[in-house]
């Protein structure tokens, strides 16, 4: 069962003049509707999953407006979907998590950018960089540069973001170029307000269809010889129009300060951080405006040479505050200034670090170095205070233990990794290719599993050159999400074609869970179509296919053993099934409430540990790591070690008992079945039993 | 030129910053939302951002809020170290994390935090006790903060049938450190119409004064009297332990076993040069070694009337509500054979192959059902026959060996004897775990203690070696750490020649 977005959908219906209050990513969604989009697509991924989730759930509103919404099979599918705007004057938007999604989309993106668009096209990028990020740290900026796609990096203020989304479509149409907008994690989750406008029903929509397809026009094909002309068009036609648009509408913002000899050129997304640190340095005036001249780039590609020259011509030194590597903007500014024969000194990655998130302290230190070089007086007391605080803290507080994320309580994927651990205990370590998805949490303790991660759905392919050189077969782990995204066509097809002798485990939990429990092709509820993973791999010629329930650790272990030792060569696929516990709980809690309210009998299962039987070795925790399997101080005066303890969050998945049996650990675990709305005879039996066993109170 | 940014940053005295440090699934996001809405309803502009991490999945999460006066919105996206006004932590180690990232400063930061612990995976995984010392975190919070409001929000939530986030909202309202009146928080909760949250809020708003915990152990004057003579022979420090030990043995095997226990222990009275520390340690370890959790013991514990009461109470089952208890048992073949009288047991074990000996009988026994209860009760009634069993004999032999080594060591060095005694701590668990830990314990006795006491390893290395061995031997690593440690022990020249 998916998350409910009823509140957010209500926000999407706000009319002109009403105040929207909510998070950045929902504001972008509302802005799309205000811009008259005809179609929306994308692939889920933090921090922008919600955009698509909300639109999918807001089916009624989309029908009213005639907007087509779809969840693409991958980012490549989303980018290709934008092809509709090559031939038709329709506005379209897609969304994905960058950098990874941009990588997947890049083939279609290049083709789209070369052909150019008639209708405005916006690609919303969830920029997963810095603290809390879950992907490799690279810049989306590179894609904008290589494909000549414009890139917005809005100042993280909801009003500004909404304004820029609306501009983006017109900007795209004015220059026949797709536009990307990067939304950083903190901007996506930024809560704020803006004044809404009415939603706009698109002119071309599901309710008002085109009567004829577009005429044949070779110039719109990304195919030679048109591609040669398109390359020239990018720079001779589209770029000048884009620059004219951004000048006319002043998409970038300039703030004059009274300290005129220096200036800062700042990525829009970093504006707030820079302003806060200028404040801390005493460089804001009484009205809260910067005393240092600022050029805030809400459009980071293309850069307008005129604007840069105008800003820099009257300064001795400028600092480019640009997050991530390489320093594309700094290089571009240098080029622009040299071409204009200006001699302002340009600082950037010489005073700021090349890599890593630009948080308060990093920016503060960089600004301080710049102001020292430029001899701009500033208040530097904070850094000194911070050093003192560091010293005091270090003296009295040891560093706290890490708290890596782990599988949820009752997660169906945990038992599989318990079995993997047991397998390796009995028959030695195996090479494990990990993948993207919830199962990547097995890379953290207590499982510490996985030799490599090569991308979403890439695990099997990444074992192609491992398998031929291992005595024991390597194992590739993949989720059902990764399987449909890329694993089937890249991994299974490759292994089938090359008859590679290795093992693929598909953890089938029924959803794309790590991104917020979205339906996928094989989902048996929601928008899924119950596609069969087993049938798909068989269709590619794989004959060794086994299904197993993950919670049955013994059966998983036996199946793994067989896959590792079976005489049959070639790809062996284990489909390990167990529904995502978050989704299952969401559904079952609702139906359970109904059952109880109507007086029907129901049984709640949970596990427990007998305190006086547990000896405190915690082998069970090393095989499970379940958040509800924790510790408790012991009341036995002779024993000091804390005992294992199952807290009240237990959902009764049964893994504790399974492990105690399969790994033959200890007799401490019990299952408690609490009967609610019991039959009268159950009550009577309970009454008798309690008296006979002496446990009646 | 370009339009000037419309947003402004209030000066630092005007914007109030708040950082919530929580765990995925703790309701940190909901708490942030309540605070935001309370601010908005009170006419204060609130901005907020978050790095929710992998929410729901137990990792650390952070929510950052700023409050400004109307017309002067604020906009920092990162909490800046040393520049946070209020830190709310939903758990003690998350408070430590906030402090270690320098978000708590004595000049500026008010702390509102729960003192309860959600143990991290590294603490939980450790064999034995890997828990972080919480007292130090509390002391650090008191020293590093401007003001500090620490409550056990989990207990308060439990007592009020609510959740940690609602209790902390109450504590935040009570602290009065935000420009938002307490009534605004309450209004938000009321508008949601969730009574549980309101109860938690009120529990946090005015937490009951901590009650001094009195001793809950009833006095056992009678049993003391029975053992008075033996107990009097022990140094005072060891008497309490010895009493607990004797009680344990009585419950385990009867009065005679308790007497044997006390007799063995009193032989350590003469060595109590260190105020009874050694006797106390031997008393503790001996009691545990003498009461191995064999099948009979497990059956006894599983059918104890107190157990049923405790399980039901922990899970909040009403007295008239039926509930089944199903025990997951898997006695090993060796454990079962070990119940047989010693000669027969040895014969049985000899007949079993290595594989069979390691196998077990997986059972799910519904101990609240008649047959399950009778099976377990029946097994527990084998207690009088236990001294005949192979396991009992073997354990007694091990105890005698260990006691001799401790006694031997005590004649040379008090600290060494203490460490030899403590090495019994290695012994833990059942079945495969017991195999592993018993192997480690016996290796420590055989390959460290014996060579130490026979002069093959230099005595001066003894204490260190045994402390390290206790840690290495506890590792669940197939014995490699212990092996490496033993191999690296410095042998005396005599040993080299031998």
């Amino acid at each position: 069962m998916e998350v409910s977005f009823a509140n957010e959908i209500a926000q999407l219906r706000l009319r002109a003049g009403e105040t929207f209050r909510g998070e950045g990513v929902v504001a972008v969604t509302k802005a799309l509707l205000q811009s008259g989009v005809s179609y929306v697509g994308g692939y889920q991924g933090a921090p922008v999953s919600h955009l698509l989730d909300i639109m999918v759930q807001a089916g009624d509103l989309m029908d009213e407006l005639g907007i087509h919404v779809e969840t693409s099979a991958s980012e490549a599918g989303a980018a290709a979907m934008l092809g509709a705007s090559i031939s038709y004057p329709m506005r379209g938007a897609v969304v994905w998590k960058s950098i990874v999604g941009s990588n997947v989309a890049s083939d279609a993106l290049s083709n789209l950018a070369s052909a150019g668009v008639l209708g405005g096209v916006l690609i919303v990028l969830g920029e997963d960089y810095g603290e809390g990020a879950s992907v490799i740290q690279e810049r989306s900026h590179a894609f904008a540069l290589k494909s000549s796609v414009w890139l917005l990096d809005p100042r993280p203020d909801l009003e500004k973001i909404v304004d820029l989304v609306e501009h983006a479509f017109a900007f795209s149409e004015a220059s026949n170029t797709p536009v990307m907008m990067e939304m950083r994690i903190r901007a996506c989750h930024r809560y704020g307000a803006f004044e809404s406008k009415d939603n706009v029903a698109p002119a071309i929509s599901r309710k008002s269809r085109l009567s004829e397809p577009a005429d044949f026009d070779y110039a719109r094909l990304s195919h030679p010889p048109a591609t040669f002309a398109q390359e020239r068009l990018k720079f001779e036609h589209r770029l000048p129009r884009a620059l004219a648009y951004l000048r006319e509408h002043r998409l970038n913002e300039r703030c004059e300060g009274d300290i005129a000899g220096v200036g800062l050129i700042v990525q829009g997304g970093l504006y707030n951080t820079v302003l806060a640190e200028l404040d801390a340095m005493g460089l804001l005036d009484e009205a809260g405006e910067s005393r240092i001249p600022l050029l805030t780039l809400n459009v980071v590609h293309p850069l307008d040479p005129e604007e840069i020259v105008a800003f820099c011509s009257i300064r001795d030194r400028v600092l480019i505050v640009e997050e991530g590597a390489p320093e594309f903007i700094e290089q571009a500014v240098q080029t622009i200034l040299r071409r204009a024969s200006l001699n302002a000194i340009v600082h950037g990655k010489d005073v700021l670090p090349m890599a890593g998130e630009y948080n308060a302290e990093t920016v503060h230190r960089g600004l301080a170095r710049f102001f020292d070089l430029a001899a701009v007086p500033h208040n530097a007391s904070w850094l000194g205070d911070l050093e003192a605080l560091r010293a005091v803290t270090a003296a009295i507080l040891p560093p706290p233990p890490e708290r890596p994320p782990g599988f949820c309580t009752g997660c169906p994927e945990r038992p599989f990794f318990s079995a993997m651990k047991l397998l390796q205990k009995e028959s030695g370590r195996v090479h494990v290719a990990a993948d993207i998805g919830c199962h990547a949490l097995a890379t953290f303790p207590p499982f510490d599993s996985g030799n490599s991660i090569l991308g979403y759905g890439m695990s099997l392919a990444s074992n192609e050159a491992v398998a031929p050189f291992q005595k024991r077969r390597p194992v590739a782990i993949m989720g059902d999400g990764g399987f449909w995204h890329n694993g089937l066509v890249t991994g299974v097809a490759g292994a089938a074609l090359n008859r590679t002798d290795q093992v693929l485990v598909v953890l089938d939990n029924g959803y794309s869970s790590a991104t917020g429990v979205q339906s996928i092709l094989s989902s048996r509820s929601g928008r899924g179509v119950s596609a069969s993973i087993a049938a798909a791999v068989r269709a590619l010629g794989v004959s060794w296919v086994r299904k197993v329930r993950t919670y049955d650790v013994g059966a998983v272990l036996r199946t793994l053993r067989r896959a590792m030792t079976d005489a049959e060569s070639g790809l062996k696929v284990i489909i390990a099934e167990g529904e995502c516990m978050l989704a299952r709980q969401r559904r079952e809690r609702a139906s359970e409430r109904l059952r109880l309210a109507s007086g029907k009998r129901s049984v709640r299962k949970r596990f427990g540990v007998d305190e006086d039987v547990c000896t405190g070795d915690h082998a069970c925790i090393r095989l499970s790591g379940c958040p509800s399997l924790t510790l408790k101080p012991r009341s036995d005066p002779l024993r000091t070690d804390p005992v294992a303890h199952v807290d009240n969050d237990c959902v009764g998945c049964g893994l504790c008992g399974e492990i105690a049996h399969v790994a033959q650990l200890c007799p401490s675990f019990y299952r408690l079945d609490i009967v609610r709305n019991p039959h009268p005879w159950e009550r009577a039996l309970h009454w008798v039993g309690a008296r006979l066993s002496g446990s009646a109170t | 030129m370009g339009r000037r940014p419309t947003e402004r940053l209030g000066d630092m005295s005007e914007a109030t910053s708040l950082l919530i440090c929580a765990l995925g699934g703790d309701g940190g996001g909901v708490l942030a939302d309540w605070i935001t809405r309370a601010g908005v309803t009170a006419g204060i502009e609130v901005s907020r951002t978050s790095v929710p991490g992998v929410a729901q999945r137990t990792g650390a999460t952070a929510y950052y809020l700023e409050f400004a006066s109307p017309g002067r919105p604020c906009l920092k996206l990162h909490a800046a170290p040393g520049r946070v006004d209020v830190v709310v932590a939903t758990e003690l180690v998350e408070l430590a994390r906030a402090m270690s990232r320098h978000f708590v400063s004595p000049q500026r930061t008010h702390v509102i935090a729960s003192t309860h612990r959600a143990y991290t995976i590294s603490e939980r995984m450790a064999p034995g006790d890997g828990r972080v010392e919480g007292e130090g975190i509390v002391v650090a919070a008191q020293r590093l903060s401007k003001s500090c409001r620490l409550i056990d929000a989990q207990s308060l939530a439990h007592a009020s049938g609510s959740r940690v986030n609602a209790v902390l909202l109450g504590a935040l309202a009570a602290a009065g450190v935000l420009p938002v009146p307490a009534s605004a928080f309450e209004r938000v909760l009321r508008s949601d119409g969730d009574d549980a949250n309101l109860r938690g809020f009120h529990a946090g708003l005015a937490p009951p004064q901590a009650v001094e915990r009195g001793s809950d152990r009833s006095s056992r004057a009678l049993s003391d009297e029975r053992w008075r003579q033996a107990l009097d022979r022990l140094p005072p420090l060891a008497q309490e332990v010895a009493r607990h030990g004797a009680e344990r043995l009585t419950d385990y095997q009867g009065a005679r076993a308790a007497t044997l226990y006390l007799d063995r222990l009193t032989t350590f009275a003469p060595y109590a040069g260190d105020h009874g520390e050694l006797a106390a340690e031997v008393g503790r370890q001996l009691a545990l070694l003498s009461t191995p959790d064999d099948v009979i013991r497990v059956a006894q514990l599983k059918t104890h009337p107190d157990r049923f009461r405790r399980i039901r109470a922990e899970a909040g089952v009403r007295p008239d509500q039926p509930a089944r208890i199903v025990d997951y048992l898997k006695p090993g073949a060796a454990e079962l054979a070990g119940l047989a009288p010693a000669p027969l047991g040895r014969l049985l074990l000899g007949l079993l192959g290595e594989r069979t000996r390691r196998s077990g009988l997986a059972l799910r026994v519904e101990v609240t059902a008649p047959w399950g209860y009778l099976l377990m009760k029946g097994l527990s009634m084998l207690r009088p026959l236990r001294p005949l069993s192979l396991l009992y004999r073997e354990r007694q032999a091990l105890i005698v060996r260990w006691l001799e080594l401790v006694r031997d060591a005590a004649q040379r060095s008090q600290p060494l004897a203490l460490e030899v005694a403590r090495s019994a701590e290695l012994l833990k668990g059942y079945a495969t775990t017991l195999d592993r830990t018993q192997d480690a314990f016996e290796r420590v006795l055989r390959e460290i203690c014996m060579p130490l006491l026979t002069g093959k390893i230099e005595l001066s290395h003894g204490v260190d070696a045994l402390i390290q061995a206790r840690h290495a031997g506890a590792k669940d690593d197939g014995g490699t750490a212990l092996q490496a440690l033993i191999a690296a022990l410095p042998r005396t020249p005599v040993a080299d020649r031998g």
Side-chain angles (χ1 to χ4, degrees):
Chain A
M1 195 182 193
E2 295 163 345
V3 189
S4 165
F5 290 103
N7 291 338
E8 286 78 2
I9 290 170
Q11 297 267 295
L12 296 188
R13 287 184 173 275
L14 292 179
R15 311 184 72 93
E18 293 179 304
T19 304
F20 170 103
R21 282 185 193 282
E23 294 203 344
V25 68
V26 188
V28 172
T29 315
K30 169 69 174 150
L32 294 180
L33 300 183
Q34 295 180 175
S35 307
V37 285
S38 295
Y39 64 96
V40 177
Y43 195 85
Q44 58 268 8
V48 286
S49 289
H50 281 6
L51 192 156
L52 206 57
D53 294 349
I54 293 167
M55 287 215 158
V56 165
Q57 265 186 33
D60 291 347
L61 177 58
M62 298 303 134
D63 288 345
E64 284 165 33
L65 295 168
I67 299 173
H68 171 70
V69 177
E70 75 172 51
T71 47
S72 311
S74 73
E75 296 84 351
M81 186 183 176
L82 295 172
S85 296
I86 295 176
S87 309
Y88 303 99
M90 293 192 297
R91 291 187 168 182
V94 296
V95 59
W96 61 66
K97 175 194 190 96
S98 204
I99 187 75
V100 286
S102 306
N103 292 339
V104 174
S106 60
D107 190 6
L109 199 58
S110 291
N111 284 277
L112 176 77
S114 187
V117 294
L118 268 182
V121 157
L122 176 63
I123 302 161
V124 180
L125 304 177
E127 210 48 68
D128 201 28
Y129 187 84
E131 186 185 350
S134 58
V135 299
I136 41 248
Q137 303 288 280
E138 289 184 1
R139 295 186 70 179
S140 306
H141 204 111
F143 286 96
L145 294 180
K146 81 165 178 70
S147 297
S148 292
V149 171
W150 312 144
L151 180 61
L152 310 183
D153 187 356
R155 185 159 60 75
D157 161 48
L158 261 50
E159 216 170 283
K160 188 76 215 171
I161 291 170
V162 169
D163 184 45
L164 275 169
V165 168
E166 292 170 349
H167 269 299
F169 290 102
F171 188 33
S172 171
E173 283 156 4
S175 58
N176 303 117
T177 303
V179 174
M180 303 199 293
M181 183 172 84
E182 39 186 0
M183 287 284 289
R184 292 155 203 254
I185 302 177
R186 287 167 192 267
C188 283
H189 293 296
R190 162 113 206 241
Y191 175 95
F194 69 90
E195 192 180 304
S196 302
K197 292 181 193 159
D198 285 330
N199 293 333
V200 174
I204 301 172
S205 76
R206 292 167 66 139
K207 292 164 90 175
S208 128
R209 297 180 182 234
L210 294 158
S211 50
E212 292 293 330
D215 292 336
F216 176 76
D217 181 359
Y218 200 92
R220 298 202 182 284
L221 290 168
S222 303
H223 202 249
T227 41
F228 302 108
Q230 287 162 358
E231 190 191 9
R232 274 195 300 277
L233 274 177
K234 281 181 177 177
F235 302 98
E236 291 165 9
H237 179 77
R238 298 177 195 167
L239 178 63
R241 286 180 173 227
L243 295 178
Y245 187 95
L246 75 86
R247 269 174 223 150
E248 184 189 344
H249 296 277
R250 296 178 175 178
L251 297 185
N252 295 328
E253 298 167 278
R254 193 163 149 178
C255 167
E256 311 305 331
D258 62 305
I259 306 175
V262 294
L264 304 179
I265 298 177
V266 179
Q267 280 173 311
L270 296 180
Y271 172 84
N272 293 25
T273 309
V274 168
L275 210 67
E277 295 322 302
L278 289 175
D279 188 17
M281 298 173 132
L283 291 171
L284 298 192
D285 65 18
E286 282 170 2
E289 301 281 0
S290 173
R291 293 186 57 206
I292 307 291
L294 293 179
L295 176 61
T296 305
L297 300 175
N298 292 312
V299 181
V300 288
H301 181 67
L303 295 179
D304 176 9
E306 275 182 28
E307 188 173 40
I308 301 286
V309 165
F311 183 77
C312 297
S313 60
I314 48 169
R315 327 221 177 261
D316 303 323
R317 283 174 200 267
V318 290
L319 171 65
I320 319 284
V321 186
E322 179 187 12
E323 192 175 55
E327 66 285 43
F328 294 119
I329 300 174
E330 188 181 337
Q331 292 168 8
V333 168
Q334 291 278 21
T335 307
I336 291 167
L337 295 189
R338 296 299 86 90
R339 280 191 186 139
S341 301
L342 284 179
N343 285 320
I345 301 171
V346 176
H347 294 280
K349 297 287 185 184
D350 55 340
V351 299
L352 281 155
M354 185 61 99
E357 189 177 19
Y358 281 8
N359 59 21
E361 188 179 348
T362 307
V363 168
H364 194 103
R365 286 187 188 279
L367 288 177
R369 259 176 235 137
F370 173 68
F371 292 138
D372 285 343
L373 290 169
V376 173
H378 58 279
N379 178 355
S381 64
W382 176 57
L383 289 176
D385 294 347
L386 192 55
E387 288 313 317
L389 179 59
R390 284 216 161 95
V392 176
T393 307
I396 61 172
L397 186 75
E402 294 287 310
R403 200 182 292 274
F407 295 110
C408 303
T409 300
C411 174
E413 302 191 346
R414 174 180 294 109
F416 172 77
F417 288 99
S418 303
M420 276 294 285
K421 206 164 174 176
L422 290 170
L423 174 82
Q424 299 188 73
K425 247 181 188 176
E426 63 181 40
S427 58
R429 293 169 52 235
V430 297
H431 179 102
V432 174
D435 206 284
I436 305 294
C438 290
H439 42 87
L441 296 171
T443 57
F444 295 116
F447 300 114
D448 300 315
S449 163
N451 294 76
S452 63
I453 294 183
L454 265 293
Y456 196 29
M458 294 293 186
S459 59
L460 185 60
S462 76
N463 267 352
E464 283 296 293
V466 173
F469 306 107
Q470 298 273 321
K471 281 188 179 158
R472 279 188 282 273
R473 288 172 180 147
V475 174
I477 311 287
M478 204 182 280
D480 44 357
F483 176 83
W484 294 116
H485 178 273
N486 216 336
L488 178 65
V489 288
T490 307
V492 179
L497 181 63
N498 295 292
R499 292 162 190 80
T500 324
D501 192 12
Q502 56 163 315
V503 178
L504 168 67
V505 177
V506 181
L507 289 163
D508 178 9
N509 69 4
Y511 308 88
S512 168
S513 290
T515 51
V517 194
Q518 289 85 9
S519 295
I520 52 173
L521 208 57
S522 47
S523 296
R524 285 165 283 274
S525 64
R527 288 161 57 87
V529 295
S530 302
S532 162
I533 294 172
V537 298
R538 285 207 181 95
L540 266 55
V542 179
S543 57
W544 201 106
V545 183
R546 302 281 188 278
K547 278 191 192 181
V548 66
R549 247 185 90 251
T550 59
Y551 292 110
D552 190 343
V553 177
V556 175
L557 187 56
R558 283 191 298 278
T559 312
L560 275 170
R561 256 185 227 136
R562 210 168 308 142
M564 296 300 290
T565 54
D566 200 302
E568 190 180 320
S569 183
L571 180 62
K572 280 153 282 287
V573 177
I574 299 173
I575 300 165
E577 299 174 321
E579 187 187 359
C580 168
M581 190 52 90
L582 279 179
R584 189 170 139 192
Q585 289 285 312
R586 230 173 257 147
R587 190 182 58 241
E588 286 184 353
R589 283 210 177 115
S591 64
E592 178 74 1
R593 266 196 297 275
L594 286 179
R595 278 182 74 83
L596 286 177
S598 63
K600 289 201 181 107
R601 181 182 181 277
S602 112
V603 177
R604 191 195 151 207
K605 291 179 197 297
R606 53 157 296 172
F607 276 73
V609 174
D610 274 312
E611 181 188 325
D612 34 16
V613 180
C614 172
T615 58
D617 175 68
H618 312 146
C620 53
I621 295 174
R622 291 192 292 279
L623 278 172
S624 155
C626 177
S628 74
L629 179 56
T630 178
L631 305 176
K632 189 175 86 171
R634 201 188 266 284
S635 51
D636 184 339
L638 293 172
R639 282 180 173 160
T640 52
D641 295 338
V643 283
H645 169 67
V646 179
D647 70 21
N648 267 321
D649 294 337
C650 174
V651 294
C653 78
L655 176 62
C656 298
E658 281 290 315
I659 289 180
H661 269 174
V662 177
Q664 206 180 344
L665 292 180
C666 73
S668 312
F669 285 96
Y670 61 83
R671 192 183 79 221
L672 179 65
D673 301 347
I674 306 167
V675 186
R676 292 185 283 189
N677 295 333
H679 300 302
W681 57 265
E682 274 181 303
R683 279 187 203 280
L685 275 181
H686 165 67
W687 189 88
V688 175
R691 265 138 202 90
L692 288 179
S693 64
S695 66
T697 38
Chain B
M1 291 301 286
R3 193 154 61 87
R4 288 157 78 102
T6 50
E7 268 189 314
R8 294 174 185 168
L9 192 85
D11 78 41
M12 278 164 66
S13 59
E14 283 183 28
T16 306
S17 53
L18 178 146
L19 180 67
I20 300 172
C21 302
L23 305 178
D26 247 0
V30 174
L31 178 59
D33 188 51
W34 285 333
I35 300 171
T36 310
R37 282 160 58 205
V40 172
T41 58
I44 297 165
E45 206 53 50
V46 183
S47 84
R48 178 184 85 208
T49 188
S50 58
V51 178
V54 195
Q56 299 275 8
R57 292 166 187 88
T58 70
T61 61
Y63 302 83
Y64 179 69
L65 293 87
E66 282 187 356
F67 302 79
S69 312
R72 301 209 59 188
C74 45
L75 43 76
K76 270 205 294 293
L77 285 190
H78 290 87
R83 304 208 314 251
V84 179
D85 295 300
V86 184
V87 164
V88 177
T90 62
E91 194 263 357
L92 193 61
V93 158
E94 292 318 304
L95 172 60
R97 199 178 316 286
M99 292 191 287
S100 74
R101 297 181 64 190
H102 312 102
F103 292 128
V104 178
S105 103
Q107 286 78 36
R108 188 154 177 181
T109 315
H110 301 279
V111 166
I112 289 106
S114 180
T115 53
H116 82 272
R117 284 302 325 279
Y119 299 109
T120 62
I121 187 66
S122 59
E123 293 174 283
R124 290 188 282 136
M125 275 170 69
D129 194 354
R131 289 174 300 174
V132 164
E133 213 264 295
E135 201 53 41
I137 299 174
V138 170
V139 171
Q142 282 156 349
R143 282 194 47 197
L144 287 173
S145 62
K146 187 171 182 184
S147 83
C148 181
R149 204 175 183 88
L150 301 177
I151 54 170
D152 182 348
Q154 191 179 53
S155 298
L156 289 169
H158 193 71
S160 57
S162 183
R163 296 189 63 94
V164 165
N165 55 1
V167 174
L168 285 170
L169 187 73
L172 177 65
V177 291
L178 292 181
V180 180
S183 59
F185 295 112
E186 192 168 345
R187 264 205 306 282
V188 165
L189 293 184
R190 278 199 197 285
S191 72
D192 288 352
D194 188 329
D195 285 346
N197 289 334
L198 273 169
R199 285 198 301 275
F201 177 78
H202 285 288
L205 198 61
Q209 294 298 309
V211 183
E212 274 297 310
R213 236 190 302 169
S215 169
D216 52 8
R217 284 182 205 136
S218 52
S219 85
R220 305 278 177 89
L222 191 79
S223 46
D224 272 5
E225 209 43 57
R226 196 167 9 139
W227 300 318
R228 175 54 52 207
Q229 242 188 332
L231 289 177
D232 281 346
R233 296 222 301 275
L234 288 167
L237 196 66
Q239 288 184 8
E240 172 84 0
V241 170
R243 188 171 60 76
H244 286 306
E247 275 167 11
R248 188 184 185 89
L249 266 293
T250 312
D251 184 46
Y252 184 82
Q253 192 58 45
R256 276 178 56 191
T259 310
L260 173 63
Y261 165 77
L262 287 172
D263 286 350
R264 281 172 169 167
L265 186 54
T266 44
T267 62
F268 282 85
Y271 303 107
D274 59 349
H275 316 296
E277 209 186 328
L278 177 62
E281 191 58 39
V282 171
R284 193 168 80 80
Q285 301 292 357
L286 180 60
L288 295 173
L289 275 179
S290 309
T291 54
D293 295 313
D294 57 12
V295 173
I296 301 171
R297 175 65 168 173
V298 170
Q300 182 192 10
L301 293 171
K302 293 276 185 188
T303 50
H304 202 290
D306 284 347
R307 175 185 184 233
F308 300 123
R309 277 195 286 269
R310 192 189 59 234
I311 288 176
R312 294 172 61 90
E314 261 183 20
V317 183
R318 290 193 312 275
D320 64 330
Q321 195 172 16
R324 288 188 297 265
I325 297 170
V326 180
D327 280 306
Y328 281 63
L329 308 174
K330 193 173 185 184
E335 283 173 286
L336 290 171
L339 281 184
L344 178 62
R346 259 180 228 115
L347 186 71
L348 281 173
L349 276 182
L351 288 176
L352 297 174
E354 175 68 16
R355 249 186 88 97
T356 326
R357 207 178 311 155
R358 293 185 153 271
S359 70
L361 184 62
L363 299 171
R364 290 183 192 184
V365 180
E366 189 183 331
V367 73
T368 44
W371 73 267
Y373 184 77
L374 289 176
L375 172 74
M376 298 298 277
K377 198 71 192 170
L379 279 171
S380 75
M381 286 159 80
L382 294 174
R383 199 173 74 133
L385 299 176
R386 180 191 273 139
L388 300 176
S389 73
L390 174 62
L391 281 179
Y392 184 86
R393 294 286 171 87
E394 284 182 348
R395 180 53 66 93
Q396 289 299 319
L398 183 63
I399 289 171
V400 169
R401 211 145 58 87
W402 168 74
L403 281 173
E404 270 171 17
L405 288 167
V406 179
R407 214 171 278 130
D408 227 12
Q411 274 159 358
R412 294 157 208 250
S413 141
Q414 204 69 17
L416 182 68
L418 210 50
E419 288 310 321
V420 175
R422 277 186 190 139
S423 61
E425 211 153 77
L426 280 169
L427 207 54
K428 274 195 180 85
Y430 302 82
T432 52
T433 307
L434 181 63
D435 283 349
R436 168 169 66 77
T437 58
Q438 176 146 355
D439 186 55
F441 177 46
E442 293 195 20
R443 284 189 69 179
V444 168
L445 292 187
R446 195 174 58 237
E447 294 175 42
I448 303 180
C449 297
M450 292 275 284
L452 264 173
L453 296 169
T454 51
K456 289 184 181 137
I457 299 175
E458 279 175 44
L459 212 54
S460 58
H461 294 296
V463 171
D464 278 351
L466 284 169
I467 291 175
Q468 285 170 30
R470 218 165 60 231
H471 292 124
K475 281 188 186 148
D476 191 355
D477 65 350
T480 48
L482 185 61
Q483 172 100 40
L485 178 86
I486 290 171
L489 284 176
R491 314 272 151 176
T492 55
V494 184
D496 285 345
R497 280 199 301 277

